[in-house]
Amino acid sequence: MSLKYGIQLPQGWLMDLVGITDPVEAYETMTRVAQTAEECGYESVWLVDHFHTVPQPSQEVTFECWTSTAALARDTKRVRIGQMVTCNGYRHPALLAKMASTLDVLSHGRLDFGIGAGWYEHEYRAYGYDYPDAPERLRYLREAVQVIRAMWTQEEAVFEGKYYQVRGALNQPKGVQQPHIPLLIGGSGEKVTLKLVAQYADACNVAGDPATVAHKFALLKEHCETVGRDYERIRRTISTMVVIADTNEQAIGSVPAMFRSQPQLDMALAGRHP
């Protein structure tokens, strides 16, 4: 299996656009990185779905995920574009599926749709969203991915769940990619999230050192066997930080302090939703 590489774009969430006072120039900085990644042969570029900066909310620019994805779809030609990952709690899944279908057309079939249960409580509270506990957020996610797949595959989508109901929703165009847009579920939870991957996803994203990643993928394979899914048909991805220096000591020393001292941030960067 060949390895493919993607990068997370500077979007403001990680304080990575600090010092650029003109928001237009901040956006142009983000899109130039995407265009450079494309020119250099990277397979994909990714955006986070957050409204406030980390490690602390601030007044620094943070570009909204899905409108930025649409803009990048027109600013690039080859590289794939995805979310690492969309927060399910911020938009109704039927609307998300419609947005993704439109964006797949805008990008000429280059969208990777990433979704997770969500975790950044401060954003939920600030924007007026309910913030249920992790098990319930995962129950929302379980229903949401079924709604999304129905919107992508059924002529008139129907779903009756506890949290979501869709009754004859039309979605045209459904996108370019066949049989549908690839759906990635982000998260390393062994009992629920990886089982959702086995049941519904085309790709996953997990985090950790090599031994941890191997363990997660072994569990995913077990879940696939349980539900009768071909493990090899699921694209397996990991998120990590890359630092280039002459020595290990220099590399470690160049990592910003907030990455070394904020466990929750480390979890978020790696896509480790519940």
Side-chain angles (χ1 to χ4, degrees):
M1 179 183 297
S2 62
L3 292 176
K4 297 180 179 180
Y5 294 88
I7 63 170
Q8 181 174 306
L9 297 177
Q11 192 180 342
W13 179 61
L14 293 174
M15 309 291 285
D16 43 17
L17 295 173
V18 170
I20 305 175
T21 57
D22 180 355
V24 173
E25 179 56 29
Y27 172 76
E28 293 300 329
T29 298
M30 178 172 66
T31 201
R32 280 196 298 270
V33 173
Q35 292 166 338
T36 300
E38 182 170 74
E39 293 167 2
C40 292
Y42 281 88
E43 195 261 348
S44 56
V45 295
W46 300 84
L47 296 172
V48 298
D49 188 20
H50 288 294
F51 309 143
H52 293 174
T53 58
V54 288
Q56 299 295 331
S58 75
Q59 293 296 328
E60 293 293 336
V61 63
T62 303
F63 287 109
E64 195 278 326
C65 178
W66 276 90
T67 47
S68 298
T69 306
L72 290 165
R74 304 305 291 171
D75 287 347
T76 57
K77 300 299 182 185
R78 179 199 59 79
V79 71
R80 296 189 64 82
I81 306 167
Q83 305 79 36
M84 194 58 72
V85 287
T86 302
C87 175
N88 178 59
Y90 295 164
R91 304 166 194 84
H92 191 284
L95 172 61
L96 264 176
K98 178 68 173 178
M99 292 164 56
S101 298
T102 297
L103 208 150
D104 198 45
V105 175
L106 298 183
S107 67
H108 298 186
R110 293 184 287 127
L111 178 66
D112 284 307
F113 178 90
I115 192 167
W119 62 273
Y120 199 178
E121 181 177 0
H122 187 278
E123 288 178 338
Y124 277 81
R125 303 297 188 196
Y127 274 71
Y129 295 115
D130 291 335
Y131 186 70
D133 61 20
E136 189 167 18
R137 296 200 307 277
L138 286 164
R139 289 192 286 271
Y140 271 95
L141 179 62
R142 177 184 293 277
E143 290 194 7
V145 295
Q146 295 176 76
V147 170
I148 291 163
R149 288 174 62 94
M151 292 288 291
W152 288 346
T153 59
Q154 299 176 9
E155 289 300 302
E156 296 186 8
V158 175
F159 181 83
E160 289 289 339
K162 177 180 179 180
Y163 304 104
Y164 302 113
Q165 298 79 41
V166 178
R167 296 156 180 159
L170 306 179
N171 180 28
Q172 294 295 344
K174 294 187 182 300
V176 173
Q177 300 176 83
Q178 297 297 328
H180 55 72
I181 299 162
L183 188 153
L184 178 151
I185 295 178
S188 299
E190 298 180 2
K191 295 182 179 179
V192 179
T193 305
L194 293 180
K195 186 177 293 185
L196 292 178
V197 172
Q199 291 175 310
Y200 302 113
D202 304 291
C204 66
N205 183 266
V206 303
D209 58 30
T212 299
V213 169
H215 171 69
K216 301 295 183 181
F217 287 161
L219 288 174
L220 174 60
K221 188 173 184 178
E222 291 180 8
H223 288 314
C224 286
E225 292 170 351
T226 299
V227 301
R229 183 85 185 277
D230 184 355
Y231 170 75
E232 296 300 333
R233 294 183 65 85
I234 296 176
R235 185 158 56 100
R236 301 178 295 280
T237 75
I238 62 171
S239 297
T240 190
M241 177 183 291
V242 176
V243 179
I244 299 174
D246 292 333
T247 67
N248 286 340
E249 291 74 16
Q250 290 174 350
I252 294 171
S254 66
V255 174
M258 69 177 184
F259 293 118
R260 299 194 299 265
S261 60
Q262 297 287 332
Q264 186 179 47
L265 179 59
D266 292 340
M267 176 182 74
L269 284 170
R272 290 179 63 188
H273 297 263

Coordinates of all heavy atoms in Angstrom, one line a residue, residues 232-273:
E232 N -9.7 -3.8 4.1 CA -8.8 -3.2 3.2 C -9.5 -2.1 2.3 O -8.8 -1.3 1.7 CB -8.2 -4.3 2.2 CG -7.4 -5.3 3.0 CD -6.2 -4.6 3.6 OE1 -5.7 -3.6 3.2 OE2 -5.7 -5.2 4.6
R233 N -10.8 -2.1 2.3 CA -11.5 -1.0 1.6 C -11.7 0.3 2.3 O -12.2 1.3 1.8 CB -12.9 -1.5 1.1 CG -12.8 -2.7 0.1 CD -14.2 -3.1 -0.3 NE -14.9 -2.1 -1.1 CZ -14.7 -1.9 -2.4 NH1 -13.9 -2.7 -3.1 NH2 -15.3 -0.9 -3.0
I234 N -11.2 0.3 3.6 CA -11.3 1.5 4.4 C -9.9 2.2 4.3 O -8.9 1.6 4.7 CB -11.7 1.2 5.8 CG1 -13.1 0.6 5.9 CG2 -11.6 2.5 6.7 CD1 -13.5 0.2 7.3
R235 N -9.9 3.4 3.9 CA -8.6 4.2 3.8 C -8.3 4.6 5.2 O -9.0 5.3 5.9 CB -8.8 5.4 2.9 CG -7.5 6.2 2.6 CD -7.6 7.0 1.4 NE -8.8 7.8 1.4 CZ -8.7 9.1 1.7 NH1 -7.6 9.7 2.0 NH2 -9.8 9.9 1.6
R236 N -7.1 4.3 5.6 CA -6.7 4.5 7.0 C -5.7 5.7 7.0 O -4.6 5.6 6.3 CB -6.1 3.2 7.6 CG -7.1 2.1 7.6 CD -6.6 0.8 8.1 NE -5.5 0.2 7.3 CZ -5.7 -0.5 6.2 NH1 -6.9 -0.6 5.7 NH2 -4.7 -1.0 5.5
T237 N -6.0 6.7 7.8 CA -5.1 7.9 7.9 C -4.8 8.2 9.3 O -5.5 7.8 10.3 CB -5.8 9.1 7.2 OG1 -6.8 9.6 8.1 CG2 -6.4 8.8 5.9
I238 N -3.6 8.9 9.5 CA -3.2 9.4 10.8 C -2.9 10.9 10.7 O -2.5 11.3 9.6 CB -2.1 8.6 11.4 CG1 -0.8 8.7 10.5 CG2 -2.4 7.1 11.6 CD1 0.4 8.2 11.1
S239 N -3.0 11.6 11.8 CA -2.6 13.0 11.8 C -1.3 13.1 12.7 O -1.3 12.5 13.8 CB -3.7 13.9 12.4 OG -4.8 13.9 11.5
T240 N -0.4 13.9 12.3 CA 0.8 14.1 13.1 C 1.5 15.4 12.8 O 1.1 16.0 11.8 CB 1.8 12.9 12.9 OG1 2.9 13.0 13.8 CG2 2.4 13.0 11.5
M241 N 2.4 15.8 13.7 CA 3.1 17.1 13.4 C 4.5 16.7 12.9 O 5.1 15.7 13.4 CB 3.3 17.9 14.7 CG 4.1 19.1 14.6 SD 4.4 20.0 16.1 CE 2.7 20.6 16.4
V242 N 4.9 17.4 11.9 CA 6.2 17.2 11.3 C 7.1 18.4 11.5 O 6.7 19.5 11.2 CB 6.1 16.9 9.8 CG1 7.5 16.8 9.1 CG2 5.3 15.7 9.5
V243 N 8.2 18.2 12.2 CA 9.2 19.2 12.4 C 10.6 18.8 11.8 O 11.0 17.7 12.1 CB 9.4 19.5 13.9 CG1 10.4 20.6 14.2 CG2 8.0 19.9 14.5
I244 N 11.2 19.7 11.0 CA 12.4 19.4 10.4 C 13.5 20.2 11.1 O 13.4 21.4 11.2 CB 12.4 19.7 8.9 CG1 11.3 18.8 8.2 CG2 13.7 19.4 8.2 CD1 11.1 19.1 6.8
A245 N 14.6 19.5 11.5 CA 15.7 20.1 12.1 C 16.9 19.2 12.0 O 16.8 18.1 11.5 CB 15.4 20.4 13.6
D246 N 18.1 19.7 12.4 CA 19.3 19.0 12.2 C 19.4 17.8 13.2 O 20.0 16.8 13.0 CB 20.6 19.9 12.4 CG 20.7 20.8 11.2 OD1 20.2 20.5 10.1 OD2 21.2 21.9 11.4
T247 N 18.8 18.0 14.4 CA 18.9 17.0 15.5 C 17.5 16.9 16.1 O 16.6 17.8 16.0 CB 19.9 17.4 16.6 OG1 19.4 18.6 17.3 CG2 21.3 17.7 16.0
N248 N 17.3 15.7 16.8 CA 16.1 15.5 17.5 C 15.8 16.6 18.6 O 14.7 17.1 18.8 CB 16.1 14.2 18.2 CG 15.9 13.0 17.2 OD1 15.4 13.2 16.1 ND2 16.3 11.8 17.6
E249 N 16.9 17.0 19.2 CA 16.8 18.0 20.3 C 16.3 19.3 19.7 O 15.5 20.0 20.3 CB 18.2 18.2 21.0 CG 18.6 17.0 21.9 CD 19.1 15.8 21.0 OE1 19.4 16.0 19.8 OE2 19.2 14.7 21.6
Q250 N 16.9 19.7 18.5 CA 16.5 21.0 17.9 C 15.1 20.9 17.4 O 14.3 21.9 17.6 CB 17.4 21.3 16.7 CG 18.8 21.7 17.1 CD 19.8 21.8 15.9 OE1 19.4 21.5 14.8 NE2 20.9 22.4 16.2
A251 N 14.7 19.7 16.9 CA 13.3 19.6 16.5 C 12.3 19.7 17.6 O 11.3 20.5 17.6 CB 13.1 18.2 15.8
I252 N 12.6 19.0 18.7 CA 11.7 19.1 19.9 C 11.7 20.5 20.4 O 10.6 21.1 20.8 CB 12.2 18.1 21.0 CG1 12.0 16.7 20.5 CG2 11.4 18.3 22.3 CD1 12.6 15.6 21.4
G253 N 12.8 21.2 20.5 CA 12.9 22.6 21.0 C 12.1 23.5 20.1 O 11.7 24.6 20.6
S254 N 11.9 23.2 18.8 CA 11.3 24.2 18.0 C 9.7 24.0 18.0 O 9.0 24.8 17.4 CB 11.8 24.0 16.5 OG 11.4 22.8 16.0
V255 N 9.3 23.0 18.6 CA 7.8 22.8 18.7 C 7.2 23.8 19.7 O 7.7 24.0 20.8 CB 7.5 21.4 19.3 CG1 6.0 21.2 19.5 CG2 8.0 20.3 18.3
P256 N 6.2 24.6 19.3 CA 5.7 25.6 20.1 C 5.2 25.0 21.5 O 4.7 23.9 21.5 CB 4.5 26.2 19.3 CG 4.8 25.9 17.9 CD 5.6 24.6 17.9
A257 N 5.4 25.8 22.5 CA 5.1 25.3 23.9 C 3.7 24.8 24.0 O 3.4 23.9 24.7 CB 5.4 26.4 24.9
M258 N 2.7 25.5 23.3 CA 1.3 25.1 23.5 C 1.1 23.7 23.0 O 0.2 23.0 23.5 CB 0.4 26.1 22.8 CG 0.4 26.1 21.3 SD -0.8 27.3 20.7 CE -0.7 27.0 18.9
F259 N 1.9 23.2 22.1 CA 1.7 21.9 21.6 C 2.2 20.9 22.6 O 1.8 19.7 22.6 CB 2.4 21.7 20.2 CG 1.8 22.5 19.1 CD1 2.5 23.4 18.5 CD2 0.5 22.2 18.7 CE1 2.0 24.1 17.4 CE2 -0.1 23.0 17.7 CZ 0.6 23.9 17.1
R260 N 3.2 21.3 23.4 CA 3.8 20.3 24.4 C 3.0 20.3 25.7 O 3.1 19.4 26.4 CB 5.2 20.7 24.6 CG 6.1 20.7 23.4 CD 7.6 20.7 23.8 NE 7.9 21.9 24.5 CZ 8.4 23.0 23.9 NH1 8.6 23.0 22.6 NH2 8.8 24.1 24.6
S261 N 2.2 21.4 26.0 CA 1.7 21.5 27.3 C 0.1 21.5 27.3 O -0.5 21.6 28.4 CB 2.1 22.8 27.9 OG 1.7 23.9 27.1
Q262 N -0.5 21.3 26.2 CA -2.0 21.2 26.1 C -2.5 19.9 25.6 O -2.6 19.7 24.4 CB -2.5 22.3 25.2 CG -2.1 23.8 25.6 CD -3.0 24.2 26.8 OE1 -4.1 23.7 27.0 NE2 -2.4 25.0 27.7
P263 N -2.7 19.0 26.5 CA -3.2 17.6 26.1 C -4.4 17.7 25.3 O -4.5 16.9 24.3 CB -3.4 16.9 27.4 CG -2.6 17.6 28.4 CD -2.5 19.1 28.0
Q264 N -5.3 18.6 25.6 CA -6.6 18.6 24.8 C -6.3 19.1 23.4 O -6.8 18.6 22.4 CB -7.6 19.6 25.5 CG -9.0 19.6 24.8 CD -9.9 20.5 25.5 OE1 -9.6 21.6 25.8 NE2 -11.1 20.0 25.7
L265 N -5.3 20.0 23.3 CA -5.0 20.5 21.9 C -4.3 19.4 21.1 O -4.6 19.2 19.9 CB -4.0 21.7 22.1 CG -3.5 22.3 20.7 CD1 -4.7 22.7 19.9 CD2 -2.6 23.5 21.0
D266 N -3.4 18.6 21.8 CA -2.8 17.5 21.1 C -3.9 16.5 20.6 O -3.8 16.0 19.5 CB -1.9 16.8 22.1 CG -0.6 17.6 22.4 OD1 -0.4 18.6 21.7 OD2 0.0 17.3 23.5
M267 N -4.9 16.3 21.4 CA -6.0 15.4 21.0 C -6.7 16.0 19.8 O -7.0 15.3 18.8 CB -6.9 15.2 22.2 CG -8.2 14.4 21.8 SD -9.3 14.2 23.2 CE -10.1 15.9 23.2
A268 N -6.9 17.3 19.8 CA -7.7 17.9 18.8 C -6.9 17.9 17.5 O -7.4 17.6 16.4 CB -8.1 19.3 19.1
L269 N -5.6 18.2 17.5 CA -4.8 18.3 16.3 C -4.7 16.9 15.7 O -4.7 16.8 14.4 CB -3.3 18.7 16.7 CG -3.1 20.1 17.0 CD1 -1.7 20.3 17.6 CD2 -3.3 21.0 15.8
A270 N -4.8 15.9 16.4 CA -4.7 14.5 15.9 C -6.1 14.0 15.5 O -6.2 12.8 15.1 CB -4.1 13.6 16.9
G271 N -7.1 14.8 15.6 CA -8.5 14.3 15.2 C -9.1 13.3 16.2 O -9.9 12.5 15.8
R272 N -8.6 13.3 17.4 CA -9.1 12.3 18.4 C -10.4 12.7 19.0 O -10.4 13.0 20.2 CB -8.0 12.1 19.4 CG -6.8 11.4 18.8 CD -5.7 11.1 19.9 NE -6.2 10.3 20.9 CZ -5.5 10.1 22.1 NH1 -4.3 10.6 22.3 NH2 -6.0 9.2 23.0
H273 N -11.4 12.8 18.3 CA -12.7 13.0 18.8 C -13.1 11.7 19.6 O -12.6 10.6 19.3 CB -13.7 13.4 17.7 CG -13.3 14.7 17.1 ND1 -13.9 15.8 17.5 CD2 -12.4 14.9 16.1 CE1 -13.4 16.8 16.7 NE2 -12.5 16.3 15.9

